Amino acid sequence: GESVGLHLPTLSVQEGDNSIINCAYSNSASDYFIWYKQESGKGPQFIIDIRSNMDKRQGQRVTVLLNKTVKHLSLQIAATQPGDSAVYFCAEKIAGGTSYGKLTFGQGTILTVHP
Amino acid sequence: KAGVTQTPRYLIKTRGQQVTLSCSPISGHRSVSWYQQTPGQGLQFLFEYFSETQRNKGNFPGRFSGRQFSNSRSEMNVSTLELGDSALYLCASSLVPGSNTEAFFGQGTRLTVV
């Protein structure tokens, strides 16, 4: 039968606003997390990562927060620009062991920035 | 330095055919992973190669296979193509697997099965 597409969460913001994108991860054993941005027709682009021994990490205009208690990640984008419009994915990984480099991705969030 | 290169970018195949996709990782990166991206299932892990050996495999049928060469370049093969194999196939490279280092993706190969 037909496959049903994922209904991705969407976030619409005005240019200059701050954006917060949330992600619930699945495996309490995951110890490394990455946020990716994917624009139409392109592969995922690395934005920022965080290890499980941290709860916050800042980059240029972006901040990632990790709450291991509730298995929650968030990506904050400051002063959002139209060029930030894309699908954002969180990914989790278990370093070492038999999982090796396998990344498990969230479903993604569509961010639309209006000028 | 050059990023991850995937070829071809676009491919149209007929049901029942087989296809081979290629991935050249970032210079110095020795781990290559493959992912399938579809609107219905999102991004799903296919397999990972390191030192010419498959180290991990996702939940895909045996029609999906891959290999890695001594220069770390990787290929994946899908035999007996089905309509549902239509997807964006993404390759990611990282320095070594199982470490807390980022994985960088290529642009992907868009496969359409008709």
Side-chain angles (χ1 to χ4, degrees):
Chain A
E2 287 187 5
S3 64
V4 178
L6 290 171
H7 294 285
L8 302 187
T10 59
L11 176 64
S12 287
V13 300
Q14 291 296 127
E15 182 177 1
D17 286 352
N18 296 331
S19 302
I20 299 176
I21 300 170
N22 296 302
C23 174
Y25 64 91
S26 58
N27 193 336
S28 56
S30 294
D31 54 9
Y32 179 59
F33 305 88
I34 308 175
W35 279 99
Y36 287 95
K37 170 188 179 184
Q38 188 175 25
E39 298 172 281
S40 181
K42 297 185 178 181
Q45 176 189 352
F46 174 90
I47 301 173
I48 191 168
D49 60 358
I50 189 167
R51 291 163 175 70
S52 60
N53 61 352
M54 305 170 70
D55 52 22
K56 180 179 179 178
R57 188 159 190 235
Q58 289 184 288
Q60 188 176 11
R61 282 202 307 120
V62 294
T63 300
V64 55
L65 299 178
L66 173 62
N67 185 330
K68 294 181 289 293
T69 303
V70 295
K71 293 191 289 186
H72 183 267
L73 270 175
S74 68
L75 176 70
Q76 301 176 0
I77 305 173
T80 317
Q81 302 166 1
D84 295 327
S85 295
V87 181
Y88 288 81
F89 294 94
C90 65
E92 59 185 293
K93 180 168 125 174
I94 303 172
T98 57
S99 291
Y100 286 94
K102 174 185 175 182
L103 289 168
T104 300
F105 283 84
Q107 62 179 359
T109 296
I110 300 171
L111 173 65
T112 303
V113 183
H114 302 282
Chain B
K1 71 185 168 182
V4 180
T5 304
Q6 290 188 247
T7 56
R9 287 293 311 279
Y10 303 93
L11 210 46
I12 299 175
K13 289 286 189 178
T14 305
R15 271 182 302 175
Q17 287 187 311
Q18 68 91 28
V19 67
T20 299
L21 312 180
S22 179
C23 172
S24 293
I26 292 171
S27 177
H29 284 198
R30 297 167 59 198
S31 171
V32 174
S33 300
W34 289 89
Y35 293 82
Q36 181 196 64
Q37 186 174 28
T38 62
Q41 301 296 322
L43 275 151
Q44 302 220 297
F45 174 77
L46 280 156
F47 27 63
E48 177 181 18
Y49 287 86
F50 175 70
S51 293
E52 302 176 63
T53 302
Q54 187 181 91
R55 304 287 176 160
N56 199 357
K57 190 176 191 306
N59 295 325
F60 280 82
R63 300 184 297 107
F64 292 81
S65 63
R67 59 178 175 167
Q68 186 181 35
F69 302 94
S70 58
N71 61 358
S72 295
R73 190 177 72 85
S74 177
E75 291 181 345
M76 68 163 281
N77 184 278
V78 188
S79 62
T80 319
L81 283 165
E82 300 177 0
L83 295 179
D85 296 333
S86 295
L88 180 66
Y89 289 88
L90 291 159
C91 164
S93 83
S94 56
L95 278 170
V96 291
S99 64
N100 290 340
T101 56
E102 57 265 36
F104 296 93
F105 283 82
Q107 299 277 55
T109 294
R110 173 72 64 186
L111 172 65
T112 302
V113 182
V114 297

